[in-house]
Amino acid sequence: MFYRESGVFKTSYAADTALMPLPNTRIGAALAGVIFLAVLPMVFGEYGMSICNLILIAIVGAIGLNILVGYTDQVSLGHGAFMSVGAYAAANLVVRMDMPFWVAIPAGGVMAAFIGTLVGIPSLRIKGLYLAITTLAAQLIIEWTINHVPAISGGAQSTILMPPPEVFGVVLKFQWQIYFFLMVFVIIAMVGAANLIRSRIGRAFIAIRDQDIAAEIIGINIARYKLYAFAISSFYAGVAGVLYTYYLGIANYEQFQLTVSIDFLAMIIIGGLGSPLGPVFGAIFVTLLPILVRRFLETFGGYFMDYSTLAATIPSLRLAIFGSLIIFFLVVEPEGLNRLWRKVRNYFRTWPFSY
Amino acid sequence: MRAAPIATLNATAAASAGWPEAGGGHRFVAYFIWLVVYGALAGAIYALVALTFVIVYKASRTMNFATGEWVMFGALLTSSGLHGFNLAGAGLAGLLGAILIAALAMAAFATALSRVVLRHMTGRSLMAMIMLTLGLGTLMRGFGPIIFKGRANAIVSPIESDYIEILGLVLPPERLLSAVVATLCIAAVGCFYQYTRTGLALRAIAADPAAASGAGVDVTGHITLSWALAGIVAVVAGVLWSIVSGGGIGTALVGMKVFPIVVIGGLNSIPGCILGAMVIGVADSLASGYLDRLVGSGVSIVVSSLLLLAALWLRPWGLFGERVATRV
């Protein structure tokens, strides 16, 4: 029943590039499926599910950024802005034209992909630091534009109320309903990204990341694939933005500011750049961190300080711990949580015959 | 919106200086000139902020995305020194004392950072370095309010005087003073780079770290030194910025001005950062003077971002930057 490897016996390319080459992976995936689809919704209440939902949305966004930064090595500080583009595009479609979610979500993604491709055009000419600054400028310009153009932002407070999605006549009101709704998109996003990376496009991305000049010499059209990377990544961001808007019930530009872009970068770095599960670990970690810090301080902080200082300290302390962890991971474990997971997995992969 | 305090700075200053809305005829011209002068005065401080960035970039090719937070820490250290040691009553001498304490603290912080963290980051990818400084900024923004909690963060100008009128332009004295101090400070750093032995070593590292190392320059030591120097400059910049626009955590927002400046001027050029800062200072001032009432507040951040993109498109290596040829 437990299968142990003794070598590589693959006889076809199909087997070599299979999505789940080992039976262990299949068992693990099935187990994860049972836990996430059956056990979690039964164990958690409304609050627990709302946190799970936040994590699911973060996973979609982080997978998108990982395609751009982790696989293609194009730095982007504008991920939050791309999310806001998707969010406002979808909110306008839903509110003004009464579109269902299955139109709004892809439309938000396509709109974000369009803007993302525009922002990506400078990447054809400049690299690295300059690209980071360009995307930073794009983030600021998009933020301002959404906030100051009433046609996009819906006027006062730049907030659009978003009705909950309606699936087969059921209006999703409870967190567990939204959980299953989001889960569909997370699974599509994960499988989509995994398949993308083992396809021709994904291999081109990795070639550009590893050595762009060599990639060009073997015939990869660098300009086209860099723009693909920006388009796909911002499509994911846009979809995540729409999902977040559905989750919150409002589209609001304050949810997509520069700090959000930094959060997403932190997710993929803490999770592990350029790995399939890295963004998932990172999204879980970064989303849970502030909640745990708050919970911990609310429980134990009363012993150190009075409650009014505590309430003022929690947001700052969250930032401080977050920043320290980013630095800690960069210095101590540059490959992120994914490497820890790989170590554990490889240990058990040959266990108990690991000589 | 995050950028609002900087953007509204010139508009509020205009209101406090008693200038009415832009009118027609000669008042229109006067308003324009006034905006330009105001922008240039702000630009002098921007140049000092950008200098903290350029010093670090020259030495280690590291882009400090936490420049705003460094300036904020400099300002907060000075103001807590000022009020914590009761130096506020001592006028100019007290302020200088507080600046000295803050500069020492900041240099110590920079040295520790360089020795403990950055030492491990040599040869790491660009992405890792960008993320490291972003994380550093987050950390400082988080610890700032905790460390400096309950301290007054105002720094008042040591010179008390009424508005000064030069050639018909009414200017507040603290702005003029700040611009003069900023200019002197930049000149001092420039002379340090140009005429001292250490400055020569720093320029050698900027040109080619490997060759400098081969010629006997202690590269790691000098990188630490340049971080400390950046910390000291950040203290001065923070103090000046607090004097003209009020201190506190919001000082970190000035960091957003740095990127357009250094891209326009060239990432590793001190003259470039002065010129870039002037361009951005004037553009900001004109944008908030003319455009804010048309299209809503905070447009100056968009204008400087657009200038940045234009500069990248036309001259990616900056006006004075060194054009690096990549060997294929």
Side-chain angles (χ1 to χ4, degrees):
Chain A
M1 145 130 182
F2 280 108
Y3 163 95
R4 290 281 160 263
E5 294 167 89
S6 58
V8 179
F9 300 111
K10 280 157 188 156
T11 50
S12 67
Y13 280 121
D16 200 34
T17 56
L19 207 51
M20 297 180 190
L22 298 178
N24 290 4
T25 322
R26 266 168 250 150
I27 296 169
L31 211 61
V34 171
I35 291 174
F36 287 118
L37 291 178
V39 179
L40 274 190
M42 284 196 284
V43 175
F44 285 144
E46 199 64 0
Y47 176 66
M49 287 326 286
S50 78
I51 293 172
C52 291
N53 287 341
L54 274 179
I55 293 175
L56 292 184
I57 295 163
I59 288 174
V60 176
I63 289 175
L65 190 60
N66 192 37
I67 291 173
L68 186 65
V69 181
Y71 287 112
T72 324
D73 201 21
Q74 304 295 306
V75 184
S76 171
L77 287 168
H79 212 59
F82 300 148
M83 286 177 74
S84 68
V85 170
Y88 276 96
N92 278 315
L93 278 178
V94 170
V95 173
R96 295 185 188 196
M97 299 184 195
D98 209 16
M99 290 287 176
F101 76 91
W102 49 265
V103 176
I105 290 177
V110 168
M111 191 66 200
F114 174 68
I115 300 291
T117 314
L118 282 185
V119 173
I121 289 175
S123 74
L124 308 182
R125 199 178 141 136
I126 52 177
K127 287 187 207 172
L129 289 174
Y130 290 103
L131 186 59
I133 301 180
T134 311
T135 51
L136 177 70
Q139 163 89 34
L140 297 174
I141 292 173
I142 292 172
E143 241 178 57
W144 187 88
T145 308
I146 285 180
N147 195 15
H148 284 81
V149 179
I152 304 174
S153 65
Q157 308 295 324
S158 306
T159 302
I160 303 177
L161 281 178
M162 185 86 158
E166 191 182 321
V167 184
F168 302 124
V170 182
V171 178
L172 304 185
K173 278 182 295 208
F174 299 108
Q175 290 293 339
W176 65 267
Q177 292 172 318
I178 296 178
Y179 177 80
F180 284 108
F181 176 71
L182 294 176
M183 198 47 121
V184 174
F185 293 98
V186 170
I187 291 170
I188 294 174
M190 286 181 70
V191 175
N195 276 324
L196 177 79
I197 292 312
R198 65 194 188 118
S199 70
R200 183 185 180 84
I201 298 176
R203 287 194 302 274
F205 287 170
I206 293 171
I208 292 173
R209 172 189 73 187
D210 290 343
Q211 177 53 269
D212 52 351
I213 293 162
E216 194 162 23
I217 288 167
I218 60 169
I220 293 169
N221 185 342
I222 293 200
R224 182 194 292 169
Y225 281 103
K226 275 184 177 172
L227 290 184
Y228 278 170
F230 268 97
I232 294 168
S233 160
S234 9
F235 183 85
Y236 272 87
V239 170
V242 184
L243 295 177
Y244 193 43
T245 306
Y246 271 126
Y247 166 81
L248 283 179
I250 53 167
N252 187 337
Y253 77 100
E254 282 182 6
Q255 310 298 333
F256 306 109
Q257 289 185 333
L258 181 61
T259 44
V260 175
S261 300
I262 297 176
D263 281 358
F264 273 101
L265 274 177
M267 280 178 204
I268 57 170
I269 288 194
I270 290 176
L273 277 178
S275 60
L277 282 180
V280 179
F281 294 136
I284 295 173
F285 188 88
V286 171
T287 314
L288 282 184
L289 181 73
I291 296 166
L292 292 180
V293 167
R294 174 171 288 272
R295 181 56 73 82
F296 178 83
L297 281 179
E298 277 170 355
T299 316
F300 300 105
Y303 299 113
F304 310 117
M305 51 191 113
D306 59 80
Y307 277 96
S308 58
T309 23
L310 191 65
T313 311
I314 286 176
S316 310
L317 201 61
R318 185 222 146 209
L319 275 183
I321 293 177
F322 187 49
S324 320
L325 276 172
I326 293 175
I327 296 175
F328 175 82
F329 268 97
L330 281 170
V331 172
V332 178
E333 188 58 278
E335 287 172 59
L337 293 169
N338 188 59
R339 192 172 124 91
L340 297 178
W341 157 250
R342 264 209 328 266
K343 276 184 189 162
V344 173
R345 193 193 58 185
N346 286 346
Y347 177 78
F348 283 108
R349 196 160 150 187
T350 48
W351 183 87
F353 306 116
S354 55
Y355 42 84
Chain B
M1 187 166 163
R2 268 188 65 148
I6 299 182
T8 52
L9 176 74
N10 288 311
T12 33
S16 69
W19 272 90
E21 301 283 294
H26 72 281
R27 296 214 38 98
F28 182 84
V29 178
Y31 184 67
F32 176 79
I33 293 173
W34 183 83
L35 283 176
V36 170
V37 172
Y38 239 75
L41 291 181
I45 307 178
Y46 290 163
L48 202 58
V49 176
L51 188 63
T52 66
F53 177 96
V54 170
I55 289 172
V56 169
Y57 187 82
K58 262 174 102 82
S60 57
R61 298 269 183 272
T62 302
M63 222 174 195
N64 190 359
F65 274 83
T67 308
E69 282 78 8
W70 279 67
V71 172
M72 170 195 86
F73 250 56
L76 288 177
L77 279 169
T78 313
S79 61
S80 359
L82 204 59
H83 301 291
F85 297 116
N86 277 325
L87 294 168
L92 185 61
L95 183 59
L96 288 179
I99 290 176
L100 191 67
I101 296 168
L104 285 176
M106 206 65 196
F109 170 70
T111 311
L113 178 80
S114 183
R115 284 289 151 99
V116 177
V117 177
L118 298 169
R119 194 165 59 90
H120 299 282
M121 301 297 289
T122 40
R124 293 284 297 280
S125 73
L126 183 79
M127 186 61 224
M129 290 312 293
I130 290 176
M131 202 58 218
L132 185 92
T133 54
L134 284 174
L136 182 68
T138 312
L139 186 154
M140 289 167 85
R141 236 180 305 128
F143 274 123
I146 298 176
I147 299 173
F148 303 106
K149 187 159 57 69
R151 298 236 181 258
N153 50 30
I155 302 174
V156 284
S157 163
I159 293 177
E160 285 177 35
S161 141
D162 221 353
Y163 284 100
I164 298 174
E165 199 179 327
I166 301 172
L167 299 175
L169 287 169
V170 182
L171 298 169
E174 72 270 7
R175 289 203 157 234
L176 276 174
L177 174 76
S178 300
V180 170
V181 174
T183 314
L184 288 178
C185 194
I186 294 167
V189 172
C191 288
F192 172 73
Y193 266 87
Q194 205 61 40
Y195 299 117
T196 63
R197 203 174 156 77
T198 319
L200 181 66
L202 287 172
R203 277 185 291 143
I205 292 170
D208 188 339
S213 176
V217 176
D218 171 14
V219 175
T220 348
H222 279 86
I223 289 176
T224 305
L225 183 86
S226 59
W227 275 96
L229 185 62
I232 294 167
V233 175
V235 169
V236 181
V239 170
L240 296 182
W241 190 251
S242 299
I243 287 176
V244 298
S245 72
I249 305 298
T251 318
L253 291 171
V254 78
M256 294 310 247
K257 296 285 171 200
V258 163
F259 299 107
I261 294 172
V262 292
V263 168
I264 289 173
L267 286 170
N268 48 9
S269 154
I270 293 177
C273 98
I274 299 170
L275 193 82
M278 286 301 149
V279 170
I280 292 299
V282 172
D284 267 10
S285 173
L286 291 177
S288 52
Y290 288 114
L291 294 179
D292 262 9
R293 89 193 78 199
L294 296 178
V295 289
S297 66
V299 75
S300 67
I301 197 94
V302 175
V303 170
S304 38
S305 298
L306 290 174
L307 281 175
L308 185 162
L309 292 180
L312 273 179
W313 188 49
L314 297 171
R315 221 179 139 83
W317 58 94
L319 289 173
F320 291 100
E322 172 198 0
R323 188 174 192 180
V324 181
T326 319
R327 195 176 288 250
V328 179

